[in-house]
Amino acid sequence: PTYFPEYVEEPGVDAICIGEAEEAILDLVEAVEAKQALTRIDNWWFKNNGHLERNPVRPAEDNLDLLPFPDRDLLFGKDEFTAQSGIKHFITSRGCPYDCTYCFNHALAEVYRGKGKRLRQMSVDKVIEDAIHALRDLGAEIIDPAIGAWTPFFGEAEVELCLYGFKHGINRYLASHPTSPMRSLADVIAFNRANADKVMPYFPQDLFERAQSKGGLQEEHYLKAKKECRRMSRTDGIDKVLTAHALDALIAPTDGTPPWAIDLLVGDHIIGGCSAPPAMAGYPHITVPAGFCHGLPVALSFFGNAWQDGKLLGYAFAFEQATQARRAPAFRPTVP
């Protein structure tokens, strides 16, 4: 109807809705319930005693987070084609900035010319809320929020553990490659210093140098940091939250959701995530696609305590099959 509104003149058709219909249909239902006239509702064309009432299209909703979640049983279960289809994407945006001749988006843009942005996106929070809503539909009981001792970060103990582990891991890896000219982290640091104008034109190697200053994994400082991270991630973290709420698993947005661009002023723009707790604890963690925000992927993590790998794989698989949120990578060109 949006692209062929003249269809309303066909026999047996009394009205059509043009454009986005959430508010328009709600207004129609409320008018019917209140026994009010129906011919002056935006987005609707009505036949009225031999005349055609053409109402204007209301402005497009700019904040998609305000819209309710879709009824997936109705959307994907009642229609035979969509019920059998293996593709059931999360819809996290509306509109398109392009005018491809083979697509209808240019016609939709014309309908909404001067009435809002062509491309609108849900926020990451809304995408994750939609994922949680889908899990509830699958029968999961959700406890939100469920917070552990790691919130928001592990602090200095995590940094120390990282530095010790980095040095140990790099040295062990390079030592296992006897033909490499780099045999240790110290060799890498020396090479970088000698070729700084080529290999480090924008950022220094301060983390390398801090790691190099650490000793071995038997040092008391390392063992203390490891013990503290285990306490926060296991005893007072994942284990405690699961026990306190009688949970089977924890879910949260994955680190780097959505991914960020590295710039030459700040470097990384880390916006948080949940990968650190299961990584520090040594517990299983699986991440699956949950949707998109501004064309960038948003992922959902499932993690729990020790030896729960099978259960987590089952939960993640059920979510993935129900939502079908994954898209093939687009390999877009680098933004200048």
Side-chain angles (χ1 to χ4, degrees):
T2 297
Y3 309 109
F4 303 101
E6 60 274 9
Y7 184 75
V8 72
E9 299 180 5
E10 294 291 322
V13 180
D14 297 316
I16 62 168
C17 183
I18 299 173
E20 298 177 5
E22 285 90 355
E23 295 182 18
I25 292 178
L26 181 60
D27 288 348
L28 178 67
V29 171
E30 290 178 345
V32 170
E33 188 177 52
K35 298 181 179 180
Q36 297 174 346
L38 305 180
T39 57
R40 297 298 179 187
I41 303 175
D42 287 350
N43 290 65
W44 286 97
W45 285 19
F46 292 96
K47 286 178 180 175
N48 184 21
N49 296 323
H51 299 284
L52 187 59
E53 301 284 353
R54 299 179 174 89
N55 294 301
V57 173
R58 69 192 71 205
E61 177 57 64
D62 183 58
N63 186 1
L64 298 187
D65 287 7
L66 298 177
L67 300 179
F69 297 120
D71 185 333
R72 297 187 184 281
D73 286 339
L74 181 62
L75 188 63
F76 298 134
K78 303 301 181 182
D79 179 74
E80 183 178 354
F81 176 78
T82 55
Q84 295 177 354
S85 173
I87 301 176
K88 300 177 177 64
H89 291 314
F90 275 25
I91 306 301
T92 59
S93 65
R94 288 188 178 181
C96 178
Y98 303 109
D99 290 312
C100 302
T101 57
Y102 58 81
C103 186
F104 60 83
N105 276 309
H106 65 282
L108 184 62
E110 191 62 34
V111 170
Y112 280 97
R113 183 177 297 277
K115 292 182 177 290
K117 299 177 182 178
R118 289 188 61 167
L119 178 62
R120 293 152 290 145
Q121 308 274 356
M122 288 183 182
S123 68
V124 173
D125 286 347
K126 183 69 173 181
V127 174
I128 295 300
E129 287 177 11
D130 198 6
I132 292 174
H133 186 73
L135 287 169
R136 283 197 176 100
D137 286 346
L138 290 171
E141 181 181 352
I142 305 295
I143 305 296
D144 187 20
I147 300 176
W150 64 78
T151 307
F153 297 106
F154 287 90
E156 189 61 26
E158 179 184 8
V159 176
E160 289 297 297
L161 206 62
C162 176
L163 295 175
Y164 274 96
F166 181 75
K167 178 182 179 180
H168 174 77
I170 289 291
N171 284 343
R172 186 173 61 175
Y173 173 79
L174 293 176
S176 68
H177 291 73
T179 60
S180 171
M182 301 292 111
R183 304 304 306 279
S184 67
L185 178 58
D187 291 342
V188 176
I189 292 172
F191 176 87
N192 288 342
R193 286 174 179 167
N195 300 274
D197 57 333
K198 294 182 179 179
V199 301
M200 301 191 302
Y202 304 118
F203 301 107
Q205 55 178 348
D206 51 309
L207 288 177
F208 278 21
E209 292 169 352
R210 289 178 63 186
Q212 179 59 25
S213 70
K214 303 301 179 182
L217 300 188
Q218 301 304 315
E219 284 194 353
E220 181 64 26
H221 195 61
Y222 167 78
L223 296 175
K224 182 178 179 181
K226 181 179 178 180
K227 182 179 180 180
E228 179 65 4
C229 285
R230 287 279 178 88
R231 179 192 66 80
M232 288 190 291
S233 62
R234 291 183 177 183
T235 310
D236 290 336
I238 295 173
D239 294 347
K240 186 175 182 179
V241 174
L242 291 172
T243 301
H245 298 287
L247 301 177
D248 295 304
L250 294 168
I251 60 171
T254 308
D255 280 17
T257 293
W260 59 82
I262 299 174
D263 63 44
L264 301 183
L265 180 62
V266 179
D268 285 324
H269 292 261
I270 299 174
I271 53 178
C274 67
S275 297
M280 289 290 171
Y283 286 173
H285 172 200
I286 183 170
T287 178
V288 292
F292 289 80
C293 180
H294 297 280
L296 298 172
V298 175
L300 185 69
S301 286
F302 294 76
F303 57 101
N305 51 20
W307 318 118
Q308 299 302 307
D309 309 52
K311 290 172 61 176
L312 294 175
L313 286 168
Y315 301 148
F317 179 77
F319 173 80
E320 194 172 33
Q321 294 303 301
T323 59
Q324 297 288 329
R326 183 187 181 277
R327 298 181 198 168
F331 298 109
R332 300 186 180 186
T334 301
V335 176

